[in-house]
Amino acid sequence: MQRLYIATEKFDPSHGTGWGKYIEWSGLTQLTEVVSLDGMLCPTALAEIKDSYWPHIVNEDFMLNFFVDLEFLLSELTDTSNLNILGVIRRPSADVCSLGWDGFTFMGFDLLDKNVDISALTNCGGFPDVFANEELSCVGLIDDFNRAVEIQGLLYKTHPEERHADCDLWAIFRRQAY
């Protein structure tokens, strides 16, 4: 399981009316923040791919914002105070919630469409026939690996026509503030 890194903008109540409108639309009233790879809710901090990034990023479709080198990623960021520095594992084959990852805390599991663009959990209006909003943590993730795998399978089985329901499982860890 390859460990990858990405810096995303935070999405929380500090976004004022945008946050309020999102909570009203989504019905996710338990959220205190969204921690996700969803590019609409939590855009990547480094939107431009510089030539110097190529040796340090995942050279794969839809993965160019993911770094394999944390130190390089951090060196490209001028201010991390309003960012989430995330460590992620795509398609974990086992429960990684107790994985020791120096400086990172396990946040939960997300389900992202194949374009690594939209979260099926927090940005599709919900799939009440597959999971309840209340199953999401206060940061919009699923805490339990087995339940996340189950939701992943049910989404595609129940909604094969919905492109955001064909998704990959992601384990998300957040770097502790320094």
Side-chain angles (χ1 to χ4, degrees):
M1 292 186 281
Q2 184 180 22
R3 297 179 188 193
L4 305 173
Y5 305 93
I6 189 170
T8 64
E9 294 179 18
K10 290 184 178 181
F11 185 49
D12 58 23
S14 70
H15 284 80
T17 58
W19 176 259
K21 288 179 182 180
Y22 169 74
I23 296 300
E24 183 180 331
W25 169 81
S26 69
L28 298 171
T29 56
Q30 77 273 31
L31 297 185
T32 57
E33 175 185 6
V34 173
V35 176
S36 178
L37 300 175
D38 185 299
M40 289 181 68
L41 299 175
C42 305
T44 184
L46 298 173
E48 177 190 349
I49 307 301
K50 298 178 182 176
D51 288 342
S52 61
Y53 292 3
W54 288 106
H56 306 280
I57 60 176
V58 178
N59 292 273
E60 185 180 322
D61 287 343
F62 313 115
M63 298 289 293
L64 299 179
N65 293 311
F66 292 88
F67 288 75
V68 296
D69 181 342
L70 175 61
E71 295 310 316
F72 181 83
L73 170 60
L74 294 174
S75 74
E76 293 297 305
L77 301 167
T78 54
D79 180 13
T80 61
S81 60
N82 289 317
L83 300 177
N84 277 321
I85 308 301
L86 303 176
V88 299
I89 299 172
R90 179 174 55 161
R91 302 180 195 131
S93 57
D95 191 348
V96 294
C97 69
S98 60
L99 176 73
W101 194 337
D102 258 358
F104 286 83
T105 302
F106 177 73
M107 301 302 293
F109 297 98
D110 204 351
L111 294 167
L112 276 288
D113 64 12
K114 299 295 183 179
N115 293 348
V116 194
D117 197 27
I118 302 294
S119 170
L121 299 178
T122 56
N123 203 7
C124 285
F127 292 95
D129 56 340
V130 176
F131 67 92
N133 280 352
E134 295 76 26
E135 291 185 73
L136 302 185
S137 70
C138 65
V139 294
L141 301 172
I142 297 289
D143 293 327
D144 181 81
F145 174 74
N146 292 326
R147 181 62 178 137
V149 170
E150 180 182 29
I151 292 169
Q152 178 189 23
L154 286 171
L155 279 172
Y156 188 68
K157 180 180 179 182
T158 309
H159 300 279
E161 74 292 346
E162 170 59 55
R163 78 176 191 91
H164 302 305
D166 184 12
C167 46
D168 284 325
L169 178 66
W170 290 81
I172 299 183
F173 296 75
R174 180 164 51 189
R175 186 171 187 247
Q176 299 157 0
Y178 288 92

